[in-house]
Amino acid sequence: MAGITPLLRLLPLLLLLLHPSLREYLTVSRRPNGGVDVGANELHPIVLLAGLGCSDIEARLTEAYRPSTPSCGAMKGKGWFSLWENATDLVTHDYLQCFEEQMRLVYDPAVNDYRNLPGVETRIPKFGSVRGFHDKNPLHSKTCVDYVREALEGLGYRDNDTMFGAPYDWRHTPPIPGQASQAYSHYFQQFKELVEAASSRHRKRKAIIFGHSYGGMVALEFVRNMPPAWRNRHIKHLILAAPTLSTGFMYMVSSLVSAGSLQVIYVPDTDDSSVTKLWRSFETAISDLPSPAVFGHEPIVVTKRRNYSAYDMEDLLAAFGLAGSIEPFKRRMVPKMQYSEAPMVPITCINGVDNRTPRQLVFWDGDYNAEPEIVYGDGDGFVNLISMTAFEEDMCRQPRQKKQFKSVKIPKVGHREILTDELAVKKVVEEILEANRL
């Protein structure tokens, strides 16, 4: 016994080197007075979904592809290659122009859906692994679900065993039931099979699904697209951290004139106008715009000549130079705004509040290329508090869902910080453990 005493003395110092949230939970199963009592053998499988930009994208160029320059066709016929994995590689290999061309989406009015450019095929690699998410900015290498993953690993969760990832094509918007989406019809089937396999592997235990930001919206729509009997059989709990929802929020309006404000498409040494042009081609760019039912007639954009409310979104899109987005907005996004069916599974919604959050943009001279003046309200810095409240009211309007809905508000924690701040990560993991116990 004397031989191991020095090692035991070192343990407190070794723990100090770990991220605080992981340090908190590494010894959790040894607590003598109750505390968290979920053992590794009692864990429900969990599927994690990170936010916008965290999933990688691979591409393949077929003979139908017509490159704008010969260099962009260099990969034609050479199989799959990484299109969006390491942003610095795009600069190193002088591939920015080709990246922007091959990453673009095009709206097809004939089928009311979005497609890649002809001859460009894409897929999302590493499906099933929680390590399929990472930030493309090397300066922010742990802003996806890394700290939550590490804390869960400290509790006994293991990648591809009890813990899984469901990376998705974040250029597309998850559909409501009955809405066409080639990208998500395949993805939802993959997701369904992943949940079933995870449950079957672990004695038919139901799965917990955790989604952050846009991943929260994807998680919610996945569950709502599944048959009720399937949800009851396979979904233990849905945990949404700072979800972006069809109630809408103002930050999405500002991203239409300056995509750099979202910090989603990080490409070094690229001007904002180039990134904004690419962003505007994505279906995601016109999702989550402020809903009239939530924001009412209050002006959200103010100019000298005219004020725009959420009821004037089509006119605002035209004013921003996005007349081509009006039809898909009307046909795809307006129905989403009006859809508020509860998924009828247990839900915990975790949001940050008490942060300055854009509520109104002022382009006094009508120059949408200029930096707007911003009028602030409450929220998590991205999503408005009014949007969070509207979603909660929608969920609690149906009695069966009200009994299965929990709202957690964390003061002074921002939209991204909810997965990086020490106390916020601790709270998120506590809610995951609570879902295991219930």
Side-chain angles (χ1 to χ4, degrees), residues 399-413:
R400 283 182 56 212
Q401 185 65 70
K402 183 177 182 179
K403 296 176 182 178
Q404 304 181 87
F405 184 83
K406 179 182 180 182
S407 175
V408 177
K409 301 288 196 304
I410 307 178
K412 301 298 182 183
V413 171

Side-chain angles (χ1 to χ4, degrees), residues 204-226:
K204 302 295 183 182
R205 289 184 185 276
K206 296 181 180 182
I208 299 169
I209 300 179
F210 172 85
H212 171 244
S213 189
Y214 203 75
M217 174 196 277
V218 174
L220 175 65
E221 296 303 350
F222 163 70
V223 174
R224 291 203 287 199
N225 270 271
M226 292 297 106

